[in-house]
Amino acid sequence: MTSLERVLQADDAVWADLDLPHGPEAGPQARHALRTAFEETLAELVGAAGATDDAGLPDDCAVGLDAAQDLLQDVLIVAGELVLNAVDHGRPGMLGTVRLSWRWEDGRVYLRVLDAGYDPEFADGPPGLGAPESIRGRGLFMVDAICEEWSVETDPITETTQVTACLGIAQAS
């Protein structure tokens, strides 16, 4: 079982949720919310570790913070892409929103984006991978390159589409 499957099947999974407007402002709002939540979590972790150097950081924290900032940038890219794909290809749903959810577990960030499903009336073309040389449609190539794993699930009963992604701090080789 992959780490993504394990987290998705966990009964006690606690996700932070944010409903975003089904429009172009959704991407920037998603990135802002994630940056704020990520920075608050880092501040709590640094505070819990105790400050020991001149900069106020624990001795072994500087490299960890650099890696965390790199992970944050990856999270912002992936979340922005998945949210804007939901806006471009999904229906707005009854409330006119797209839901972004996230959680941190075992040094990884898990993202979920839920929309009301694909509908040609509302969508800007069918979802999927575009050609690498095309102007549009390359975002999922980036998602695939950045994420440890990701998946797309459609629910035929609720007609919703959910994309889930797992990102971790890159390991030095």
Side-chain angles (χ1 to χ4, degrees), residues 61-165:
C61 196
V63 172
L65 286 177
D66 288 343
Q69 287 300 322
D70 289 345
L71 175 59
L72 172 59
Q73 293 308 312
D74 288 346
V75 166
L76 297 178
I77 290 168
V78 171
E81 181 58 33
L82 296 182
V83 166
L84 290 176
N85 273 356
V87 169
D88 282 351
H89 303 292
R91 290 180 292 152
M94 290 174 42
L95 299 177
T97 61
V98 170
R99 173 161 287 181
L100 169 66
S101 304
W102 65 91
R103 66 177 284 138
W104 285 264
E105 183 178 298
D106 297 331
R108 290 179 172 79
V109 177
Y110 296 88
L111 300 172
R112 288 192 310 208
V113 176
L114 179 71
D115 65 52
Y118 174 69
D119 186 333
E121 181 180 342
F122 296 99
D124 183 22
L129 297 175
E133 68 277 358
S134 68
I135 299 293
R136 289 186 42 104
R138 296 179 289 181
L140 291 180
F141 286 109
M142 290 188 309
V143 168
D144 192 55
I146 293 171
C147 293
E148 290 182 5
E149 54 188 317
W150 63 285
S151 65
V152 178
E153 297 176 27
T154 56
D155 185 328
I157 296 171
T158 62
E159 297 183 347
T160 57
T161 299
Q162 178 174 279
V163 180
T164 306

Side-chain angles (χ1 to χ4, degrees), residues 5-74:
E5 290 168 332
R6 184 180 54 74
V7 167
L8 292 177
Q9 292 176 2
D11 292 336
D12 62 347
V14 177
W15 294 79
D17 296 316
L18 176 64
D19 288 326
L20 300 160
H22 191 276
E25 65 276 20
Q29 287 181 17
R31 289 188 294 271
H32 175 75
L34 282 169
R35 178 180 297 280
T36 300
F38 198 91
E39 289 174 350
E40 287 172 359
T41 300
L42 281 179
E44 289 173 14
L45 292 173
V46 168
T52 60
D53 73 358
D54 293 339
L57 298 173
D59 291 333
D60 61 351
C61 196
V63 172
L65 286 177
D66 288 343
Q69 287 300 322
D70 289 345
L71 175 59
L72 172 59
Q73 293 308 312
D74 288 346

